[in-house]
């Protein structure tokens, strides 16, 4: 099928000698090292598990002159298991500011950044112009690496929208948070992720390269 089956690596646990993003930094409890590339970096606490304040029910007795409003009675923590709703493609996760959602965004943006940096370096080395100038030239004559392409800018834009639209719709129909980022199957033709330990190592390498690519493109 288009998506493979989920391969689960042994859960990683936090250790005293684990790598951290800054020498001497103490990772927060919610970054326990179980995610690939987790170096305990969350200085603003954005991925901290959400706690909701629970109130009692307001009094709604129409025969009373005064009805008391509900009072705080405690806190409710988010369920450990992340829920993904395939019908809500703009916000599939049950919690927007959750570590699983942040990780998915980081992986997807990192992959785009790696493609972008590769495209910029390749285009500039083959044409001798900056990638901004190359984009302006494409309006007059569509070519890549000196080869003319039999498409107009409008046609290429339509093809890209349809192709990427299909891929994103297919990805967002997946309700497993793991398979949303790492579908496997036809996306792993060499079966490199068959071993869970090796898969974790490959995911760690990918997220490190992704972060470097995002920083390099920004710079």
């Amino acid at each position: 099928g288009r998506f493979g089956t989920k391969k689960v690596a042994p859960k990683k646990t936090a250790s005293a000698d684990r790598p951290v993003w800054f020498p001497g930094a103490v990772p927060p409890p919610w970054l326990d090292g179980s995610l690939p590339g987790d170096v305990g970096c969350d200085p603003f606490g954005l991925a901290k598990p959400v706690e909701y304040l629970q109130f009692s029910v307001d009094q709604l007795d129409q025969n009373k002159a005064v009805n008391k409003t509900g009072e705080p009675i405690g806190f409710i923590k988010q369920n450990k298991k992340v829920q993904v709703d395939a019908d809500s493609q703009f916000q599939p996760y049950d919690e927007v500011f959750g570590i699983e959602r942040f990780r998915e965004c980081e992986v997807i943006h990192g992959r785009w950044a790696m493609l972008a940096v590769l495209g910029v370096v390749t285009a500039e080395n083959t044409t001798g112009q900056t990638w901004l100038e190359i984009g302006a030239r494409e309006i007059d004559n569509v070519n890549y690496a000196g080869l003319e392409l039999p498409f107009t800018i409008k046609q290429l834009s339509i093809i890209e929208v349809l192709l990427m639209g299909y891929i994103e719709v297919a990805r967002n129909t997946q309700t497993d948070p793991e398979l949303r980022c790492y579908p496997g199957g036809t996306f792993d033709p060499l079966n490199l992720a068959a071993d869970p330990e090796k898969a974790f190592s490959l995911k760690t390498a990918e997220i490190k390269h992704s972060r470097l690519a995002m920083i390099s493109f920004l710079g």
Side-chain angles (χ1 to χ4, degrees):
R2 181 172 61 245
F3 297 99
T5 56
K6 183 177 180 180
K7 303 178 180 66
V8 181
K11 183 176 177 61
K12 304 291 182 179
T13 56
S15 61
D17 58 347
R18 60 173 292 195
V20 291
W21 68 283
F22 187 80
V26 179
W30 54 89
L31 296 180
D32 57 3
S34 59
L35 287 176
D38 177 9
V39 291
C41 181
D42 188 14
F44 300 108
L46 298 178
K48 183 179 180 180
V50 179
E51 289 185 345
Y52 299 96
L53 186 60
Q54 184 180 14
F55 286 81
S56 60
V57 179
D58 295 342
Q59 292 182 350
L60 298 174
D61 190 346
Q62 62 181 359
N63 296 320
K64 291 185 176 180
V66 177
N67 284 282
K68 295 182 178 180
T69 59
E71 298 179 351
I73 59 176
F75 291 91
I76 300 178
K77 291 186 177 181
Q78 180 187 12
N79 293 329
K80 187 66 176 178
K81 183 175 178 57
V82 179
Q83 300 295 327
V84 180
D85 183 7
D87 295 330
S88 179
Q89 297 190 8
F90 289 102
Q91 174 42 44
Y93 286 85
D94 58 346
E95 180 54 57
V96 180
F97 297 101
I99 190 171
E100 290 81 8
R101 177 62 169 170
F102 286 149
R103 170 44 59 96
E104 178 180 324
C105 292
E106 183 182 26
V107 169
I108 300 302
H109 284 83
R111 289 170 181 169
W112 277 114
M114 287 189 287
L115 288 173
V117 170
L118 177 62
V120 167
V121 173
T122 302
E124 291 187 349
N125 287 337
T126 55
T127 63
Q129 301 184 44
T130 67
W131 65 279
L132 294 174
E133 295 172 343
I134 297 171
R137 287 183 56 194
E138 293 296 319
I139 298 177
D140 300 324
N141 185 22
V142 180
N143 64 81
Y144 188 79
L147 301 175
E148 293 189 5
L149 302 179
F151 301 102
T152 64
I153 287 293
K154 182 178 180 180
Q155 290 172 334
L156 287 176
S157 299
I158 293 175
I159 292 173
E160 182 178 355
V161 168
L162 293 177
L163 179 61
M164 298 311 302
Y166 168 75
I167 293 175
E168 277 301 296
V169 168
R171 189 178 68 83
N172 275 294
T173 57
Q174 178 58 250
T175 58
D176 188 322
E178 176 74 9
L179 293 179
R180 289 175 65 87
C181 296
Y182 310 102
T186 55
F187 292 95
D188 185 18
L190 300 180
N191 204 26
L192 297 176
D195 178 37
E197 287 288 346
K198 184 177 181 180
F200 189 90
S201 177
L202 291 172
K203 293 174 184 177
T204 301
E206 181 191 33
I207 202 66
K208 288 182 177 180
H209 286 85
S210 296
R211 290 166 180 168
L212 287 174
M214 288 188 283
I215 292 174
S216 64
F217 190 84
L218 181 63

